[in-house]
Amino acid sequence: MELSWQIQFWPDKKNTTGRKLNQLLKQGAMWQADALANQSVAVQGLGAAEWFLYDQQSPVVMGLASQQNGASQQDKASAANCSLFTAVAGRIADSSTALEQAWQVNPWQSLPAKMALGEYLGALNNQLDYTMKKLSRPLGKPGSPKVYQAESWRSHTSMTNLQSNIIAMQQLYLAKGTGLDKLLRDRGYVGTADRINKRFSALLEDWPQAPAMVPMLKTKEGYRQLLNIYNGLEYIQIALQDEVAPELGIVVGFNATDGD
């Protein structure tokens, strides 16, 4: 979970990423990736790189705009800006390497089969809950969406990311023919398995063409499409909790998104 925050700080409700990066830029220091480890997680991950590349207040974007307008390149802090951007990229690479190494160890391998199955279902339920929050937060209330709570709103890739999340969850559910889907079928719950798999497939087959969520939030049709995706994910979550868990004799506990 710590690595997850380092790689992606979200939701950024109050532009913490922009404020923290501007504070570091004002120091004019030459940054290294390891030095960022002692700074806020908001400046260590993909959101920070996205700010540099896409935010109108970033020195990279402003520098490109100046060049396009024929302005002279006169920025005494350009070296410091570049060093911080490079340090952010290096920090992302370090965190990604650490995450990949952590994945080489299976913490559930020594657990009894029933407990391991509970952890498996819990991991899927946790990811579902987290993905649904990526929709519920920006959706807000009808007529009052919170566009800046959309994931990756600066780079306009929120829907592409969300689609990848759902593909990953379907893969986790199927587990190359050895996962929950097979277990349900082996125990005679074919109907349950079919409904869940079909709902995953339907969500992906009907996926909106737009790569960004913010424009969709601003139209009735786009808002409706996002709400349909949320409802589809909620259907899967309810099926996992109310059907799969009892059918397989698993108790679904609290997950990492439940807070205190």
Side-chain angles (χ1 to χ4, degrees), residues 129-258:
D129 199 56
Y130 192 71
T131 302
M132 288 165 66
K133 280 181 168 60
K134 290 184 180 183
L135 282 161
S136 63
R137 289 179 183 275
L139 279 169
K141 296 179 181 179
S144 301
K146 299 177 180 179
V147 295
Y148 296 117
Q149 291 201 34
E151 180 189 29
S152 304
W153 62 266
R154 291 183 177 93
S155 59
H156 309 292
T157 57
S158 46
M159 293 304 293
T160 304
N161 294 347
L162 192 66
Q163 184 182 34
S164 296
N165 292 154
I166 296 174
I167 291 171
M169 285 188 289
Q170 185 183 36
Q171 291 174 343
L172 181 60
Y173 170 72
L174 296 172
K176 297 181 179 179
T178 64
L180 279 174
D181 184 79
K182 183 178 186 300
L183 190 57
L184 286 166
R185 295 179 191 281
D186 289 347
R187 297 193 183 182
Y189 300 109
V190 177
T192 302
D194 283 344
R195 285 195 299 276
I196 294 173
N197 198 29
K198 286 179 180 177
R199 188 55 62 105
F200 269 125
S201 298
L203 280 170
L204 295 171
E205 288 170 4
D206 297 334
W207 198 258
Q209 295 297 312
M213 184 181 294
V214 172
M216 296 179 67
L217 288 166
K218 296 178 179 179
T219 67
K220 289 184 179 180
E221 176 59 22
Y223 193 94
R224 183 189 65 78
Q225 287 180 299
L226 294 172
L227 200 57
N228 284 341
I229 294 172
Y230 180 87
N231 290 338
L233 292 173
E234 187 176 47
Y235 176 94
I236 295 170
Q237 188 178 55
I238 291 172
L240 290 175
Q241 294 177 352
D242 294 354
E243 296 182 59
V244 174
E247 288 168 356
L248 300 182
I250 305 170
V251 176
V252 180
F254 291 106
N255 64 58
T257 69
D258 287 328

Side-chain angles (χ1 to χ4, degrees), residues 107-120:
W108 303 293
Q109 198 164 22
S110 60
L111 292 178
K114 191 168 184 178
M115 289 184 65
L117 184 58
E119 293 290 345
Y120 173 22

Side-chain angles (χ1 to χ4, degrees), residues 21-41:
L21 285 170
N22 272 314
Q23 289 171 8
L24 297 183
L25 287 170
K26 288 177 182 178
Q27 294 179 22
M30 300 301 290
W31 289 94
Q32 300 293 328
D34 55 355
L36 282 186
N38 299 320
Q39 300 296 324
S40 166
V41 291

Side-chain angles (χ1 to χ4, degrees), residues 43-64:
V43 302
Q44 296 184 39
L46 295 169
E50 183 187 31
W51 182 86
F52 267 107
L53 291 169
Y54 295 98
D55 198 281
Q56 296 303 308
Q57 299 304 311
S58 117
V60 175
V61 175
M62 289 193 292
L64 289 173

